[in-house]
Amino acid sequence: MTVTLADLRQASRIEAEPPYTPHIGVLVAMMYYARLTTLQAVGDLNTKELDTVPSGFSNSVGMLLAHIAAVDRLYQRLSFQGRGVDAQEGESYAGAFTLGKVGKRVQGVPLERLLTDLEAARADTLVGLARRDDAWLATDLQVQMPGFADLNHHWAWFHVMEDELSHRGQIRLLRKTIEAQSSVG
Amino acid sequence: MTVTLADLRQASRIEAEPPYTPHIGVLVAMMYYARLTTLQAVGDLNTKELDTVPSGFSNSVGMLLAHIAAVDRLYQRLSFQGRGVDAQEGESYAGAFTLGKVGKRVQGVPLERLLTDLEAARADTLVGLARRDDAWLATDLQVQMPGFADLNHHWAWFHVMEDELSHRGQIRLLRKTIEAQSSVG
């Protein structure tokens, strides 16, 4: 499924919808729109393009997509479960979460699998948010993060979205560079 | 004023505060946090660094900062005044709004002036939002934008923020590249 600019322009509303409470619903609408823009930015890049790290860049589009999914999964632990990742989870998500600084880099994974993983992670987030309400959203996380002041759940899920949007901006740049290089080569 | 990562970690809450109504207040808190991350990303780049367009990129950090301010000013017209920009405004903001595709590119403008302009544009946005309420936020814009479905005000101001976050991601990449080049050169 490719998302076009025209699709984005038809989706330009922020409205809370059931089953979510008003503030959670607004956040879900924002996360949904942000995801559409990520899908639009990625287009239908093939695996080689997803793996490309152009000169001057330190990440590939594939790495960033895996990161976005991993951030959803990390914040499910922090916000819904009140804990950090355990050793096994840490190992499987470390590469994606740290953008390859620790653990394995994402390489050779086709777009379809990256998108399925993004969707699966988000689906779990939405189930968790649908079970909660605006009073919970305003409260603080049960985990302490070293160096951080008290984080509330509203910030946590906003942050998941704002991190995705920031990487979407980077994906747009990466894709432009990759396409310019392949039209030259 | 330089914003550090430690500052961001002390500002990790989303809460509506007076004088804003609840949904507008949440949006303002998100816009405020997004702006802090932009300031953190820019650091204290000098004018030469702000003007640099590294190979593989098409914009400078200075151009992106001017763009972020211009987007605020455009959406003030669209959302608060129910009109597009007039000819004179169009001329003065075109370069920044279109990232130099139409009109003048931003060049030779020191960081202080770019930040003053960002702050002035945002101050007008906040005055406009403080005068309005959540019922208004949910309603549709009074201007039609060709190719777009009905946009509501909530989307409009979310979009101002999400566009800034996307460019902040790009500024982070640009700054890394600029600093790597100057440590080599």
Side-chain angles (χ1 to χ4, degrees):
Chain A
M1 193 237 349
T2 313
V3 175
T4 66
L5 261 184
D7 295 328
L8 294 183
R9 289 175 173 169
Q10 294 301 312
S12 300
R13 298 188 71 78
I14 296 296
E15 278 169 325
E17 276 172 28
Y20 307 103
T21 52
H23 281 289
I24 290 180
V26 163
L27 206 46
V28 167
M30 291 176 172
M31 290 165 86
Y32 172 76
Y33 185 85
R35 176 58 47 86
L36 278 186
T37 68
T38 301
L39 298 176
Q40 186 266 329
V42 174
D44 55 2
L45 293 175
N46 62 36
T47 308
K48 195 182 149 218
E49 291 166 327
L50 289 167
D51 285 346
T52 303
V53 182
S55 141
F57 291 85
S58 46
N59 286 298
S60 64
V61 174
M63 188 84 240
L64 292 175
L65 288 178
H67 174 75
I68 294 170
V71 171
D72 250 81
R73 296 207 186 275
L74 174 66
Y75 276 84
Q76 288 162 15
R77 271 67 184 171
L78 294 172
S79 166
F80 297 155
Q81 300 178 27
R83 63 173 180 95
V85 289
D86 63 31
Q88 199 195 330
E89 291 164 347
E91 204 174 314
S92 51
Y93 299 134
F97 191 69
T98 66
L99 291 166
K101 287 184 200 77
V102 177
K104 272 195 301 196
R105 291 188 70 87
V106 173
Q107 195 83 22
V109 185
L111 183 60
E112 202 185 309
R113 220 174 88 203
L114 291 165
L115 296 187
T116 304
D117 200 40
L118 270 171
E119 210 179 309
R122 180 55 50 86
D124 289 344
T125 294
L126 296 181
V127 167
L129 290 174
R131 283 195 189 132
R132 292 170 170 83
D133 64 17
D134 287 355
W136 165 84
L137 193 69
T139 60
D140 288 358
L141 261 64
Q142 295 302 303
V143 273
Q144 291 289 325
M145 308 239 282
F148 283 81
D150 296 336
L151 309 173
N152 65 2
H153 297 285
H154 208 146
W155 179 84
W157 293 104
F158 160 71
H159 174 62
V160 169
M161 174 185 72
E162 65 101 13
D163 192 65
E164 174 165 357
L165 288 167
S166 174
H167 292 306
R168 177 208 79 197
Q170 298 174 337
I171 290 172
R172 285 188 179 164
L173 277 186
L174 276 161
R175 184 171 160 199
K176 215 188 278 180
T177 306
I178 291 164
E179 291 182 341
Q181 288 179 349
S182 65
S183 71
V184 169
Chain B
M1 193 240 344
T2 313
V3 175
T4 65
L5 261 184
D7 294 328
L8 294 183
R9 289 176 174 170
Q10 293 301 311
S12 300
R13 298 188 71 77
I14 296 296
E15 278 169 327
E17 277 173 27
Y20 306 104
T21 52
H23 281 288
I24 291 181
V26 163
L27 206 45
V28 167
M30 290 176 173
M31 291 165 85
Y32 173 78
Y33 184 87
R35 176 58 47 86
L36 279 187
T37 68
T38 301
L39 298 176
Q40 186 267 327
V42 173
D44 55 1
L45 293 175
N46 62 37
T47 308
K48 196 182 148 216
E49 291 167 327
L50 288 167
D51 284 347
T52 303
V53 181
S55 141
F57 291 85
S58 46
N59 286 299
S60 64
V61 174
M63 187 86 240
L64 292 175
L65 289 178
H67 173 75
I68 294 170
V71 170
D72 250 81
R73 296 206 185 277
L74 174 66
Y75 277 85
Q76 288 161 15
R77 272 66 184 172
L78 294 172
S79 166
F80 296 156
Q81 300 178 28
R83 63 173 179 95
V85 290
D86 63 30
Q88 200 196 330
E89 292 165 346
E91 205 174 314
S92 52
Y93 300 133
F97 190 70
T98 66
L99 291 166
K101 286 183 201 79
V102 177
K104 273 195 302 197
R105 292 188 71 87
V106 173
Q107 195 83 22
V109 185
L111 183 59
E112 202 185 307
R113 220 174 89 205
L114 290 165
L115 297 187
T116 304
D117 200 40
L118 269 172
E119 209 177 310
R122 180 55 51 86
D124 289 343
T125 295
L126 296 180
V127 167
L129 290 174
R131 283 194 190 132
R132 291 169 171 83
D133 63 17
D134 287 356
W136 166 83
L137 192 69
T139 61
D140 287 359
L141 262 63
Q142 294 302 303
V143 274
Q144 291 289 326
M145 308 239 282
F148 283 80
D150 295 337
L151 309 173
N152 65 1
H153 297 285
H154 208 147
W155 179 84
W157 293 105
F158 159 71
H159 174 62
V160 168
M161 174 185 72
E162 65 101 12
D163 193 64
E164 175 165 357
L165 288 166
S166 173
H167 292 306
R168 176 206 80 197
Q170 298 174 338
I171 290 171
R172 285 188 180 164
L173 277 186
L174 276 161
R175 185 172 161 199
K176 216 187 278 181
T177 306
I178 290 165
E179 291 182 341
Q181 288 179 350
S182 66
S183 71
V184 169

